[in-house]
mmCIF file of all heavy atoms in Angstrom:
data_model
loop_
_atom_site.group_PDB
_atom_site.id
_atom_site.type_symbol
_atom_site.label_atom_id
_atom_site.label_comp_id
_atom_site.label_asym_id
_atom_site.label_seq_id
_atom_site.Cartn_x
_atom_site.Cartn_y
_atom_site.Cartn_z
ATOM 1 N N GLY A 11 -6.166 27.247 2.124
ATOM 2 C CA GLY A 11 -5.946 27.905 0.843
ATOM 3 C C GLY A 11 -4.653 27.539 0.160
ATOM 4 O O GLY A 11 -4.340 28.071 -0.904
ATOM 5 N N SER A 12 -3.895 26.603 0.738
ATOM 6 C CA SER A 12 -2.582 26.277 0.174
ATOM 7 C C SER A 12 -2.675 25.424 -1.083
ATOM 8 O O SER A 12 -1.823 25.518 -1.965
ATOM 9 C CB SER A 12 -1.721 25.566 1.224
ATOM 10 O OG SER A 12 -2.349 24.372 1.657
ATOM 11 N N GLY A 13 -3.698 24.574 -1.170
ATOM 12 C CA GLY A 13 -3.842 23.739 -2.362
ATOM 13 C C GLY A 13 -4.190 22.295 -2.096
ATOM 14 O O GLY A 13 -4.194 21.485 -3.013
ATOM 15 N N LYS A 14 -4.496 21.938 -0.841
ATOM 16 C CA LYS A 14 -4.801 20.537 -0.517
ATOM 17 C C LYS A 14 -6.007 20.033 -1.294
ATOM 18 O O LYS A 14 -6.017 18.910 -1.792
ATOM 19 C CB LYS A 14 -5.050 20.387 0.985
ATOM 20 C CG LYS A 14 -3.872 20.750 1.868
ATOM 21 C CD LYS A 14 -4.147 20.413 3.315
ATOM 22 C CE LYS A 14 -5.405 21.053 3.873
ATOM 23 N NZ LYS A 14 -5.347 22.534 3.874
ATOM 24 N N GLY A 15 -7.035 20.853 -1.383
ATOM 25 C CA GLY A 15 -8.246 20.438 -2.083
ATOM 26 C C GLY A 15 -8.004 20.182 -3.554
ATOM 27 O O GLY A 15 -8.528 19.218 -4.125
ATOM 28 N N GLU A 16 -7.204 21.032 -4.191
ATOM 29 C CA GLU A 16 -6.910 20.839 -5.610
ATOM 30 C C GLU A 16 -6.035 19.614 -5.819
ATOM 31 O O GLU A 16 -6.201 18.882 -6.804
ATOM 32 C CB GLU A 16 -6.232 22.084 -6.181
ATOM 33 C CG GLU A 16 -5.996 22.021 -7.682
ATOM 34 C CD GLU A 16 -7.278 21.821 -8.479
ATOM 35 O OE1 GLU A 16 -8.320 22.370 -8.090
ATOM 36 O OE2 GLU A 16 -7.218 21.091 -9.495
ATOM 37 N N ALA A 17 -5.123 19.357 -4.901
ATOM 38 C CA ALA A 17 -4.312 18.130 -4.992
ATOM 39 C C ALA A 17 -5.216 16.903 -4.924
ATOM 40 O O ALA A 17 -5.025 15.929 -5.662
ATOM 41 C CB ALA A 17 -3.284 18.095 -3.866
ATOM 42 N N ALA A 18 -6.210 16.949 -4.047
ATOM 43 C CA ALA A 18 -7.166 15.846 -3.947
ATOM 44 C C ALA A 18 -7.959 15.704 -5.244
ATOM 45 O O ALA A 18 -8.237 14.587 -5.691
ATOM 46 C CB ALA A 18 -8.109 16.080 -2.769
ATOM 47 N N ASN A 19 -8.317 16.828 -5.862
ATOM 48 C CA ASN A 19 -9.041 16.781 -7.136
ATOM 49 C C ASN A 19 -8.220 16.083 -8.214
ATOM 50 O O ASN A 19 -8.737 15.282 -9.004
ATOM 51 C CB ASN A 19 -9.387 18.200 -7.607
ATOM 52 C CG ASN A 19 -10.448 18.859 -6.750
ATOM 53 O OD1 ASN A 19 -11.190 18.190 -6.030
ATOM 54 N ND2 ASN A 19 -10.524 20.180 -6.819
ATOM 55 N N VAL A 20 -6.925 16.397 -8.262
ATOM 56 C CA VAL A 20 -6.035 15.781 -9.244
ATOM 57 C C VAL A 20 -5.975 14.268 -9.017
ATOM 58 O O VAL A 20 -6.037 13.477 -9.963
ATOM 59 C CB VAL A 20 -4.630 16.402 -9.164
ATOM 60 C CG1 VAL A 20 -3.639 15.617 -10.028
ATOM 61 C CG2 VAL A 20 -4.663 17.861 -9.611
ATOM 62 N N ALA A 21 -5.851 13.867 -7.753
ATOM 63 C CA ALA A 21 -5.788 12.441 -7.438
ATOM 64 C C ALA A 21 -7.075 11.731 -7.846
ATOM 65 O O ALA A 21 -7.041 10.684 -8.505
ATOM 66 C CB ALA A 21 -5.535 12.250 -5.942
ATOM 67 N N GLU A 22 -8.207 12.302 -7.476
ATOM 68 C CA GLU A 22 -9.491 11.669 -7.785
ATOM 69 C C GLU A 22 -9.703 11.555 -9.286
ATOM 70 O O GLU A 22 -10.211 10.535 -9.780
ATOM 71 C CB GLU A 22 -10.626 12.461 -7.150
ATOM 72 C CG GLU A 22 -10.731 12.279 -5.641
ATOM 73 C CD GLU A 22 -11.933 12.984 -5.056
ATOM 74 O OE1 GLU A 22 -12.332 14.035 -5.609
ATOM 75 O OE2 GLU A 22 -12.469 12.489 -4.046
ATOM 76 N N ALA A 23 -9.318 12.596 -10.028
ATOM 77 C CA ALA A 23 -9.494 12.572 -11.478
ATOM 78 C C ALA A 23 -8.660 11.477 -12.125
ATOM 79 O O ALA A 23 -9.003 10.983 -13.206
ATOM 80 C CB ALA A 23 -9.134 13.940 -12.072
ATOM 81 N N ALA A 24 -7.567 11.096 -11.470
ATOM 82 C CA ALA A 24 -6.701 10.040 -12.001
ATOM 83 C C ALA A 24 -7.064 8.663 -11.454
ATOM 84 O O ALA A 24 -6.369 7.691 -11.726
ATOM 85 C CB ALA A 24 -5.247 10.357 -11.676
ATOM 86 N N GLY A 25 -8.133 8.600 -10.682
ATOM 87 C CA GLY A 25 -8.570 7.315 -10.159
ATOM 88 C C GLY A 25 -7.957 6.915 -8.838
ATOM 89 O O GLY A 25 -8.127 5.785 -8.385
ATOM 90 N N ILE A 26 -7.229 7.828 -8.203
ATOM 91 C CA ILE A 26 -6.640 7.546 -6.887
ATOM 92 C C ILE A 26 -7.657 7.917 -5.812
ATOM 93 O O ILE A 26 -8.128 9.053 -5.765
ATOM 94 C CB ILE A 26 -5.340 8.351 -6.683
ATOM 95 C CG1 ILE A 26 -4.278 7.876 -7.679
ATOM 96 C CG2 ILE A 26 -4.830 8.214 -5.249
ATOM 97 C CD1 ILE A 26 -2.999 8.700 -7.639
ATOM 98 N N PRO A 27 -8.018 6.975 -4.937
ATOM 99 C CA PRO A 27 -8.991 7.305 -3.899
ATOM 100 C C PRO A 27 -8.445 8.321 -2.905
ATOM 101 O O PRO A 27 -7.249 8.319 -2.597
ATOM 102 C CB PRO A 27 -9.254 5.951 -3.220
ATOM 103 C CG PRO A 27 -8.064 5.117 -3.530
ATOM 104 C CD PRO A 27 -7.562 5.572 -4.867
ATOM 105 N N VAL A 28 -9.331 9.174 -2.429
ATOM 106 C CA VAL A 28 -8.967 10.222 -1.475
ATOM 107 C C VAL A 28 -9.752 10.016 -0.182
ATOM 108 O O VAL A 28 -10.976 9.858 -0.203
ATOM 109 C CB VAL A 28 -9.264 11.628 -2.046
ATOM 110 C CG1 VAL A 28 -9.011 12.704 -0.988
ATOM 111 C CG2 VAL A 28 -8.418 11.876 -3.290
ATOM 112 N N VAL A 29 -9.043 9.990 0.923
ATOM 113 C CA VAL A 29 -9.670 9.911 2.241
ATOM 114 C C VAL A 29 -9.460 11.255 2.929
ATOM 115 O O VAL A 29 -8.315 11.693 3.106
ATOM 116 C CB VAL A 29 -9.054 8.774 3.079
ATOM 117 C CG1 VAL A 29 -9.637 8.781 4.495
ATOM 118 C CG2 VAL A 29 -9.292 7.436 2.410
ATOM 119 N N VAL A 30 -10.555 11.914 3.285
ATOM 120 C CA VAL A 30 -10.491 13.241 3.911
ATOM 121 C C VAL A 30 -10.652 13.075 5.419
ATOM 122 O O VAL A 30 -11.686 12.588 5.891
ATOM 123 C CB VAL A 30 -11.594 14.163 3.353
ATOM 124 C CG1 VAL A 30 -11.510 15.549 3.999
ATOM 125 C CG2 VAL A 30 -11.466 14.274 1.830
#
Side-chain angles (χ1 to χ4, degrees):
S12 59
K14 298 187 304 298
E16 185 58 36
N19 290 341
V20 171
E22 286 185 329
I26 295 175
V28 174
V29 175
V30 181

